[in-house]
Amino acid sequence: MDQHLGQRTIKSCVSTTGIGVHTGNKVSIKFKPASENTGIRFIRTDLSNTPAIKACASRVSNTMLATTLSQSGASVSCIEHLMAALWALGIDNLVIEIDSEEVPIMDGSAAPFIYLLKQAGIRQHNTAKQFIKIKKALEVTAGDAKACLLPYDGFKASYTFVYDHPVFNRYPKHTSLDFTKTSFIDEASKARSFGLTKDLDQAQALNKCLGSSLENAVGIDDHHILNQDGLRYEDEFVKHKILDAIGDLYLLGKSLLGEFIGYKSGHPTNNALARELLANPDAWELVSLNGQPQQASTIPFMQPIAA
Ligand SMILES: [Zn+2]
């Protein structure tokens, strides 16, 4: 008889260091196993009372250039790529100790976090993992930006980017990925943040993006991609927008069974969509799924646990 898919954590502690893309400061981050129903919890070890900040859509306090969580006066920012990595590995419960206000940017994608957490190993709890199954369409708009969730038996995401620029005009401005058939880890997790050098000067004048470099972003001037090796995927820009949306929506605390559609959307719209879902409990239900954790086919968008 099938058993249910259980919640997941990691087997052992792992840590790394990197820089905060906005502060430019060095950051140490440590991932520790957590018991069932803990959720994802950040601990600010640099603050005197080591406050905990729960990863949760209703605790998002700022969405300018990154997603920031706040709780009891403490904040942690730039959490979205890490959250996308946790979604990819199906990790439900984790304690994350961090000695700064910002998750390190690593290479600007989710891939370094996935690599590190796979080194720690994935452990399944006995408690059933719950999924949010979309039953009715939800939509939010902000100006001409739009984000939607629709019913779908699996998880897929599409994104449309509208920007008339000589570089963006050379690459796809739309992509659609069905993670029931396509591996997020192989096909999207390596997509990096990107930005125009002219916007970088403006952001740095506001003390943002002080740690930004071609080591952690795709840099674009008026006509060229500045990174010597070019892009990792032809549609890296739109794939990164999907990666951001997945990370932002994983603040719901559970993986979605449904379809995400984004049009010119970003962190503010992603968080508005998550809050819209929380405000409409008739549009979704919690479900658990049967299956062996080693079988990728049971729920293909989630990384199987290595035997
Ligand atoms: Zn991003």
Side-chain angles (χ1 to χ4, degrees):
M1 198 174 93
D2 276 351
Q3 65 183 96
H4 58 241
L5 283 176
Q7 296 179 15
R8 292 178 175 190
T9 187
I10 54 174
K11 280 184 184 159
S12 57
C13 295
V14 273
S15 55
T16 189
T17 56
I19 60 155
V21 71
H22 292 301
T23 58
N25 293 340
K26 189 176 166 195
V27 187
S28 296
I29 189 164
K30 183 174 188 182
F31 301 97
K32 299 168 90 172
S35 53
E36 43 258 90
N37 301 320
T38 302
I40 310 299
R41 213 167 276 258
F42 292 88
I43 310 278
R44 283 283 304 271
T45 56
D46 57 320
L47 300 179
S48 58
N49 53 347
T50 59
I53 306 163
K54 191 167 177 163
C56 155
S58 58
R59 295 201 189 277
V60 170
S61 56
N62 194 319
T63 50
M64 190 183 134
L65 298 175
T67 298
T68 303
L69 295 167
S70 298
Q71 185 172 354
S72 309
S75 297
V76 62
S77 175
C78 230
I79 53 141
E80 59 271 17
H81 305 160
L82 170 58
M83 291 304 295
L86 300 182
W87 172 84
L89 297 171
I91 293 174
D92 302 277
N93 304 307
L94 194 65
V95 169
I96 304 165
E97 292 182 350
I98 182 165
D99 68 350
S100 178
E101 66 197 62
E102 231 187 323
V103 170
I105 189 66
M106 311 310 285
D107 71 351
S109 79
F113 294 120
I114 292 172
Y115 177 81
L116 185 69
L117 293 161
K118 279 172 97 171
Q119 300 298 308
I122 310 293
R123 186 163 73 80
Q124 177 165 272
H125 299 294
N126 289 327
T127 308
K129 183 181 178 77
Q130 289 189 306
F131 296 80
I132 296 173
K133 184 178 169 67
I134 303 295
K135 294 196 296 181
K136 287 184 198 166
L138 289 162
E139 179 181 306
V140 293
T141 56
D144 56 354
K146 190 160 87 167
C148 315
L149 285 170
L150 301 170
Y152 179 65
D153 190 19
F155 182 71
K156 61 182 176 180
S158 64
Y159 189 84
T160 307
F161 175 76
V162 180
Y163 201 133
D164 184 20
H165 180 280
V167 173
F168 294 136
N169 292 350
R170 290 204 292 271
Y171 296 97
K173 291 184 181 176
H174 173 85
T175 198
S176 192
L177 297 166
D178 185 340
F179 296 111
T180 329
K181 301 178 185 115
T182 303
S183 158
F184 173 82
I185 292 179
D186 295 338
E187 299 300 329
S189 76
K190 301 176 190 73
R192 293 162 293 177
S193 307
F194 56 93
L196 302 175
T197 46
K198 67 178 171 66
D199 294 341
L200 183 63
D201 295 341
Q202 258 179 11
Q204 291 187 335
L206 297 169
N207 271 340
K208 293 274 184 188
C209 300
L210 298 176
S212 186
S213 76
L214 296 178
E215 300 290 306
N216 55 42
V218 179
I220 301 157
D221 71 9
D222 289 344
H223 298 280
H224 308 97
I225 287 173
L226 302 174
N227 305 61
Q228 227 165 28
D229 295 337
L231 295 180
R232 293 176 173 178
Y233 311 107
E234 202 205 4
D235 51 358
E236 184 168 358
F237 303 132
V238 272
K239 279 183 171 167
H240 187 78
K241 299 297 280 185
I242 286 179
L243 185 161
D244 278 342
I246 286 174
D248 285 338
L249 292 172
Y250 198 45
L251 290 175
L252 289 164
K254 293 168 177 62
S255 301
L256 288 163
L257 297 174
E259 176 178 10
F260 168 82
I261 302 175
Y263 174 82
K264 294 180 75 172
S265 49
H267 301 306
T269 354
N270 295 336
N271 186 242
L273 185 61
R275 287 173 188 261
E276 180 73 6
L277 182 143
L278 294 173
N280 287 281
D282 60 327
W284 50 277
E285 63 185 338
L286 290 177
V287 297
S288 53
L289 299 177
N290 290 326
Q292 299 297 322
Q294 286 82 7
Q295 287 174 349
S297 59
T298 313
I299 175 153
F301 60 87
M302 202 167 81
Q303 171 76 12
I305 294 178

